Amino acid sequence: MERLQKILAQAGIASRRKAEEWILAGRVSVNGKVVRELGVKATPGRDTIAVDDQVITVQRTVNIVLHKPTSYVTTVVDPEGRRTVMELIEGVAERVYPVGRLDYETSGLLLLSNDGDLTHRLLHPSHHVDKVYRATVLGLVEREALDQLRRGVRLEDGVTAPAEVTVLRQHPLESVVEIRIHEGRNRQVRRMFETVGNPVKRLKRVQFGPLELGTLPPGKWRWLTELEWQALYAAANLPAPPYPFSTREKASSPRDRGRNAVGQKRFGGAKRSR
Ligand code: URA
């Protein structure tokens, strides 16, 4: 038995706070009976839970890491008809959504989740989760530019928080810099480098909180390991829901996409229609 707001959040349809608002507004029912108090519990799979009379299907909580290639949008649909990251996650039966965004031209680690609470927490401006980017920039990165990046850069929406910056390669034509930030403003890294005089040529996110991109090839996804799972919820300051694979099962590798942890074909393993 779990609290209704938790079940609704885990179903990926709302944050826990939004679900509480729905309950208080009398929009949620359990086995046909409208619930208006926050303490009510139900059992996913046994009780019929509905929002505005629409029965919801409770999925297990899953989180995946995708290596987003360039030239994909980080939205579920794109009004301009460009390719979306959702086209790359064949084999995930659960309805996962991108946690935050990477620009169309940015590649790298993108977390997708069906846990509304986790998403809400990780994206909330008050919650600082570190993100590490590898930026290939034009020109040499001068001492003054590095100092500015480290101290904070004045952008049109305010001064950025101090960043950790490591130069990986210096060259008069193009340099490579790793930058660790915890804010998530629109096109932040590009704007920071542009402001200090080193426009970004290529940008790749290599780390998101405790998750690392590693050697995952562009366009591929993988399940989180159990260690990553625990570390991610700890970073979000949330209790971790059950890891979706039992100890006897192993989270399938990207090569096994379309199959579940015990090697059976997943329902919905075919191309997603979204
Ligand atoms: N900063 C950017 O400029 N772009 C991204 O995609 C992410 C961070």
Side-chain angles (χ1 to χ4, degrees):
M1 296 269 272
E2 281 179 317
R3 282 173 187 257
L4 267 183
Q5 56 268 43
K6 183 168 179 201
I7 296 172
L8 293 172
Q10 283 181 352
I13 56 170
S15 68
R16 203 178 289 210
R17 185 156 329 143
K18 190 92 228 146
E20 287 175 357
E21 284 172 24
W22 291 352
I23 293 167
L24 292 173
R27 293 174 58 186
V28 181
S29 66
V30 177
N31 301 325
K33 199 160 164 263
V34 172
V35 171
R36 288 176 193 275
E37 306 90 54
L38 296 181
V40 174
K41 293 182 172 179
T43 304
R46 200 192 66 198
D47 294 313
T48 305
I49 301 161
V51 178
D52 295 337
D53 294 328
Q54 289 262 352
V55 174
I56 60 146
T57 316
V58 180
Q59 311 158 0
R60 63 182 181 163
T61 302
V62 295
N63 292 295
I64 66 167
V65 163
L66 170 72
H67 185 159
K68 175 196 173 298
T70 56
S71 309
Y72 277 80
V73 283
T74 315
T75 48
V76 176
V77 280
D78 181 46
E80 294 176 39
R82 293 172 295 180
R83 292 180 293 186
T84 81
V85 292
M86 306 311 283
E87 293 169 33
L88 297 169
I89 53 165
E90 277 178 42
V92 182
E94 293 79 9
R95 293 163 66 87
V96 293
Y97 298 93
V99 178
R101 288 191 180 194
L102 288 176
D103 301 333
Y104 185 67
E105 322 89 86
T106 302
S107 65
L109 194 161
L110 183 68
L111 173 68
L112 293 103
S113 178
N114 65 350
D115 187 335
D117 269 348
L118 178 71
T119 303
H120 181 74
R121 186 64 69 92
L122 291 174
L123 295 183
H124 200 275
S126 69
H127 196 83
H128 295 166
V129 48
D130 278 4
K131 285 144 292 222
V132 180
Y133 296 88
R134 191 161 298 172
T136 306
V137 301
L138 286 181
L140 271 184
V141 187
E142 305 286 353
R143 181 85 242 163
E144 172 54 26
L146 289 172
D147 287 347
Q148 250 189 291
L149 293 165
R150 288 182 179 133
R151 273 198 313 263
V153 180
R154 185 171 297 284
L155 302 178
E156 60 189 13
D157 50 356
V159 180
T160 59
E164 275 176 41
V165 183
T166 313
V167 178
L168 301 181
R169 192 171 87 102
Q170 277 281 29
H171 189 275
L173 290 181
E174 125 181 345
S175 303
V176 182
V177 181
E178 208 162 80
I179 181 163
R180 177 185 291 266
I181 60 171
H182 61 72
E183 296 170 294
R185 304 193 211 171
N186 192 29
R187 299 180 74 81
Q188 180 168 342
V189 176
R190 290 175 194 277
R191 290 192 291 140
M192 287 171 79
F193 278 102
E194 178 87 43
T195 305
V196 301
N198 297 97
V200 168
K201 279 184 74 184
R202 282 189 299 281
L203 188 62
K204 180 178 182 177
R205 183 156 71 190
V206 294
Q207 204 180 322
F208 181 82
L211 308 176
E212 290 182 15
L213 185 62
T215 56
L216 187 64
K220 300 290 184 195
W221 65 268
R222 64 172 177 80
W223 302 111
L224 264 56
T225 66
E226 190 161 8
L227 272 180
E228 288 177 320
W229 183 274
Q230 300 301 342
L232 182 63
Y233 281 92
N237 214 2
L238 284 174
Y243 184 64
F245 305 104
S246 72
T247 42
R248 274 188 299 120
E249 296 172 337
K250 277 180 74 182
S252 48
S253 72
R255 267 175 284 118
D256 305 323
R257 290 189 319 169
R259 296 186 175 273
N260 69 10
V262 286
Q264 296 157 335
K265 265 213 154 139
R266 259 174 206 286
F267 171 75
K271 209 169 169 72
R272 294 164 69 99
S273 54
R274 254 189 302 147

